[in-house]
Structure formats: structure tokens, C-alpha cells
Amino acid sequence: MELSNLPLISAITFTPLVGAIVIAFLPRTAAQAIRRAALATSLIAFALSLVMLVDFNPTRPGFSLVETVDWIPVFGIQYKVGVDGLSAVLVVLTTTLSWISILASFGPIQERVKEFMISFLILEVGLIGVFVALDLFLFYVFWEVVLVPMYLIIGIWGGSNRIYATIKFVLYTLVGSLLMLVAILATAYSYASATGSWAHAFDFEYLRSFAGTIGFTDGLQLFAFLAFFLAFAIKVPMFPFHTWLPDAHVEAPTAGSVILAAIMLKLGAYGFIRFAVPLFPDAAHTFAVPIIVLSLIAIIYGAIVALVQPDLKKLIAYSSVSHMGFVTLGIFIFQEQGLQGAILQMVNHGLITGALFLLVGVIYERTHDRTIARMGGLAGRTPVYAAAFGFFVFASAGLPGLSGFVGEFLVLVGTFATSPWIAAVATMCMILAAAYLLWMFQRVFTGELSEFLSGLGHHLSDVRPVEIITLVPLGTLIVVFGLFPGLVLTLVQGTVDSVLLGAAQGSPIALYPFVR
């Protein structure tokens, strides 16, 4: 039987849910069995995603492995899932980071192991669902599913200030999500009014075709785009909607920080590429310049604030604000190299920043401290750890030959073709990235061993085999994508062409009638 006849996408999406149900029936005292069941489940989802990737044909137009079942027929709502190149890449990234994060949590998570693993597996369901949903209502359901388990992961297993961080995270996300729901309903109603039927009113493929032919009214485009923008900008997070991120990162357990940075931040960028630009191309062009300005501010602001952070986790969190600014910049310059670079940077950021948070978790497990000023001289006591940290620091700084360089370079090339001045500003900010990363590395790893670390004695050990297992796949992919970026770019080329073709049909809307 061919894969196209099998519900492969549903299997990938709901395998973690099956695992969560199985774990729910295991006794709490069987912590090791629970951990192994969670890891096995995530590995099965990972293996299925690799099967999907092998079967995926990037030259095939549209979406592949599409599954459609009527859900609420009276309103045209369907369970419809499928993948294109962008979805396929992000699904594999999600399943890869999920099993790595679960394995990394074996040591740190000792309390309520059962509840943690169930929450984490349900989180994986929501994340994969967001990337494969082809019905806007279904997309919203998966979008909201992500919120609950992350709330629990931070709120129960987080640090001392976890309640404040969790409430802030939920409030920010919920405001944007509810406005997006209103925009989804308005978009479906507009389509139904124009076509005279609710059939396919939430179907992304039909809505995209409608947007490219008849098109939504200017008023709807402006409102819906702004609502989608707020939801996606909070998730990215773009300046000035970023303030929830450092608190959430600092308080989250290591596995939560990894998924938050590596995958959850990509939901916003994915939403821009998948929904906001194709469905509302005129509004996208209308607000492109302000979004580009906010992206530049994020790049500069994130780098400067990271430069003065005293906490390792906060430094990496603010670096995410800066790096994700390159992603939104690449999307809204509406240029081929820029969009290619944005997508590649989404993947690169997931691998690199995920690894950096894993490494911060390694030292925190030994010292129970992340204060940079209390570190120093770690290279002498933990040489393998220092070498691994240095590798990922250089990858994050954009060293040629590693994947972090290629994504930002393509964004800059595309930006230069659009505006050399904008490209110049973004390029100068890469110097700041090197500054805060290398200065941090110098303070933590070089010189004499600090008095604080000296007092830890034998507790200050080098990386363990399990920790190496979590880092090696990420390091390998960073080298492979740095040397052969075409592996990703070939997969996503169809998505890039489709998005830019739709964007090319758009033109800025005159705002005067709406603001007078």
C-alpha cells in the first residue's frame, strides 16, 4: 500500500497522544517505566516523521498526504491535514527536539514524572497539529492545545517565580489567540457570503484560491491581518510583544525552555508564512514597512539587552528575540532569498538555541546557578562541556560552515536587493551577536576556576553520556545544514514560490478611508 493511502499525518500527530493515554494508566511509582514509555512514544513519532520526509516529493505542487474528514459540515469545518515542504521540515524539527527534550528531562524531573510526561506529549500533539492543519478552525484548536501543557510545564516544574511567568505567558498568548479566532470567523463568513455557501469556508486551500482571485475586501484584510499579526507577533516574539519570553525561559525547566525556544517561537513565523501573507496579501504589503522596522528594532534591541544580561538563560532568551527578528525581516521583504533565509533560520535557530538551552541545563544541574559572574574557568574542569558550548556559540554567532551563517546570510542578501540601508543595519547587528556570545563564553569558561565553582568539588563533573546523546544529533545537523543548506532549501522551494506568487498579486491598501 502506498503511503498516500495511509493516514500517516494523523499517525505522526496523535502518536504522542496515544503514549500520553498509556502513561496515564501506569502507576506513579513506576517513574522509570513512565520515562521510557514517553521516550519510546516520541521516538515512534520521530520515525514516522522521517518516513513522511522520505516519501515527500518537493516537485509535487500543493500539499501531500492530505487527509480530509467532515467535522462540522453545517459550517464547512473539516478535519483536514497535510504537508508541504515547510510543514514537513517543521514537523521533523518538532519530533526531533521532542525526543531529545524528553531524554534530557530524565535527570532533572524527579517530581510528578507521570504528569510531566503526559503534559509534554500533549504539547507535542499541539505543535505538530499546528504545522499540518489545513483548516483554519482546526489550526486554531491545535494552537490553543499548545497553551495548556506549556502552562503546566512552567507552572509546576518551573523556578521560584514560575507563577508570575506562567500567568504572563498565558495572558499574552490568550489575547492574541482570541482576536485571531474572531478574524478566522470573519474570514470564513466573508467567504461564505461571497460564494453563497459555508462549504469549505475554513479550508485553507479554498481560502487561498479565493484570496488570489476574487480577494477579500480591504476592510476585512486590514482587520484580519492585524488580528493574525498580533497572535503571531506575540508567539515569535516580536518587539514590543516579547516581554513574556525571558520570564518564561528563566522559570521553565530545561526541556520546557528547549521546546519553547526551538519550536514554539516558530509557530508565529509559520503563521505569517502560511496564513497571514497568502490570505491577506494587500494588508501584508500595507503593513510590511512597519513590520520591517519592528524586526530591525528586535534585532538591535535583543542583541544589546543580551549583552548586559547577568543570567545565562536570559542572555540566550534575548538572543532569540534578535535572531527571530531576522526571520520576520526575511518574510516581509517579499524576496526569494529573504524568504528562503527566513525558513532556514527558523530551522537553524531551533537546532542551535535548543542546544544552548540544553547546555545551560547541564551546568545548572551541577551548580543550581546560572549567574555568569559566579562562573569562570570551567574549561579547565569540564573540557568536553566547554568544547560543546563553544561549538554552539560559534554556530549562533554565524560562523561560516555552520548552519547559523547560511540563514542570516540569505536574509541579508534578500534584504540588500530590497534596501541596502536596511541590510547594512541588520549586518552591523551581527557584530553585537558575536560580542555578547563571545564575551559570555570568555567569562564562563576561561581564566582561573571561580571560588563558587571551586566549592562544588566532585559535583562539578563533565558531560555525561546521556547529555552527549542529546547534543550530538543537533551538532551534526548544524554542520550538515551549514555545508549543504540545499537539503532544506530544496524541500521548501515550492512553499517559497507559492507564497511569493500570492504576495506579488498584492498591493498596499490606502488607509485614509479607514482612519479619517
Side-chain angles (χ1 to χ4, degrees):
M1 183 179 293
E2 294 185 2
L3 289 178
S4 58
N5 298 324
L6 296 173
L8 183 59
I9 302 303
S10 293
I12 298 169
T13 305
F14 294 108
T15 291
L17 179 61
V18 173
I21 293 172
V22 170
I23 291 172
F25 287 96
L26 295 176
R28 281 189 172 84
T29 54
Q32 280 302 102
I34 290 170
R35 292 188 181 100
R36 289 169 183 167
L39 180 61
T41 302
S42 61
L43 284 171
I44 292 171
F46 171 64
L48 290 172
S49 70
L50 293 182
V51 172
M52 171 205 69
L53 192 63
V54 170
D55 180 67
F56 182 78
N57 182 1
T59 63
R60 186 186 306 158
F63 292 89
S64 301
L65 302 172
V66 177
E67 304 167 29
T68 306
V69 178
D70 286 337
W71 185 11
I72 311 177
V74 67
F75 292 115
I77 297 175
Q78 303 171 305
Y79 170 80
K80 183 176 182 180
V81 294
V83 293
D84 63 353
L86 176 62
S87 301
V89 167
L90 292 177
V91 166
V92 175
L93 181 68
T94 303
T95 57
T96 303
L97 268 299
S98 293
W99 75 259
I100 288 174
S101 298
I102 288 173
L103 181 59
S105 68
F106 277 21
I109 303 300
Q110 296 295 326
E111 300 293 331
R112 298 185 178 182
V113 176
K114 178 176 179 177
E115 290 84 351
F116 179 87
M117 293 303 174
I118 291 174
S119 298
F120 205 93
L121 290 172
I122 293 175
L123 175 62
E124 185 178 1
V125 173
L127 293 170
I128 296 173
V130 166
F131 294 136
V132 301
L134 296 179
D135 180 280
L136 262 67
F137 189 81
L138 181 66
F139 166 77
Y140 177 77
V141 170
F142 280 123
W143 182 275
E144 291 298 278
V145 165
V146 169
L147 183 63
V148 177
M150 183 53 75
Y151 170 84
L152 296 175
I153 288 170
I154 299 174
I156 297 176
W157 295 276
S160 58
N161 204 25
R162 59 186 180 274
I163 302 302
Y164 167 78
T166 307
I167 292 175
K168 192 173 183 180
F169 163 70
V170 170
L171 289 179
Y172 266 76
T173 306
L174 203 57
V175 168
S177 299
L178 292 176
L179 285 175
M180 182 175 68
L181 175 60
V182 175
I184 288 173
L185 297 176
T187 302
Y189 178 80
S190 177
Y191 175 86
S193 299
T195 60
S197 170
W198 279 95
H200 307 294
F202 291 87
D203 190 311
F204 169 70
E205 292 186 285
Y206 281 83
L207 292 173
R208 182 180 61 180
S209 177
F210 180 86
T213 52
I214 300 172
F216 295 103
T217 63
D218 289 351
L220 177 78
Q221 285 205 47
L222 290 173
F223 160 73
F225 182 87
L226 285 174
F228 274 81
F229 167 79
L230 183 61
F232 298 151
I234 289 171
K235 268 291 198 295
V236 167
M238 289 183 66
F239 177 91
F241 310 104
H242 66 284
T243 57
W244 64 268
L245 180 67
D247 294 309
H249 268 312
V250 168
E251 300 305 325
T254 298
S257 292
V258 171
I259 290 297
L260 186 61
I263 308 299
M264 282 192 66
L265 302 191
K266 311 306 176 294
L267 300 186
Y270 173 81
F272 281 130
I273 298 171
R274 171 67 72 236
F275 299 107
V277 173
L279 296 183
F280 317 112
D282 295 338
H285 279 278
T286 304
F287 296 110
V289 172
I291 293 174
I292 289 171
V293 171
L294 289 177
S295 299
L296 288 175
I297 293 174
I299 293 169
I300 299 168
Y301 170 84
I304 292 175
V305 176
L307 193 62
V308 298
Q309 286 307 307
D311 185 284
L312 271 173
K313 257 194 174 183
K314 272 199 173 182
L315 185 148
I316 299 171
Y318 277 108
S319 78
S320 294
V321 175
S322 184
H323 287 301
M324 291 303 292
F326 280 96
V327 174
T328 51
L329 175 63
I331 294 170
F332 284 94
I333 58 174
F334 304 123
Q335 204 272 348
E336 183 176 9
Q337 283 82 14
L339 187 54
Q340 288 176 332
I343 295 173
L344 189 57
Q345 184 66 4
M346 289 164 65
V347 177
N348 297 337
H349 181 267
L351 298 173
I352 297 168
T353 306
L356 287 173
F357 276 117
L358 285 173
L359 287 164
V360 172
V362 168
I363 196 63
Y364 183 76
E365 286 304 307
R366 289 150 173 76
T367 65
H368 296 287
D369 201 308
R370 296 184 301 263
T371 306
I372 296 175
R374 303 187 74 181
M375 305 294 173
L378 266 176
R381 288 287 297 273
T382 58
V384 178
Y385 176 73
F389 209 115
F391 171 82
F392 291 108
V393 159
F394 280 114
S396 184
L399 182 71
L402 302 178
S403 61
F405 169 76
V406 187
E408 291 186 356
F409 177 76
L410 284 173
V411 171
L412 292 174
V413 169
T415 306
F416 187 85
T418 304
S419 171
W421 289 106
I422 295 176
V425 173
T427 303
M428 292 301 294
C429 292
M430 294 181 69
I431 299 174
L432 287 174
Y436 66 72
L437 286 167
L438 295 179
W439 190 36
M440 174 270 290
F441 186 83
Q442 178 191 18
R443 288 179 289 167
V444 172
F445 291 97
T446 62
E448 296 294 327
L449 193 67
S450 69
E451 183 178 345
F452 168 70
L453 295 178
S454 298
L456 297 175
H458 68 278
H459 295 290
L460 191 62
S461 59
D462 213 335
V463 286
R464 305 182 183 106
V466 170
E467 294 163 344
I468 293 175
I469 291 172
T470 63
L471 294 169
V472 167
L474 302 180
T476 302
L477 290 173
I478 288 169
V479 174
V480 170
F481 293 154
L483 297 177
F484 306 103
L487 293 172
V488 175
L489 297 180
T490 301
L491 286 173
V492 303
Q493 188 59 49
T495 305
V496 171
D497 293 339
S498 174
V499 171
L500 292 180
L501 179 62
Q505 299 173 356
S507 57
I509 299 169
L511 294 177
Y512 176 71
F514 299 96
V515 298
R516 64 180 178 178

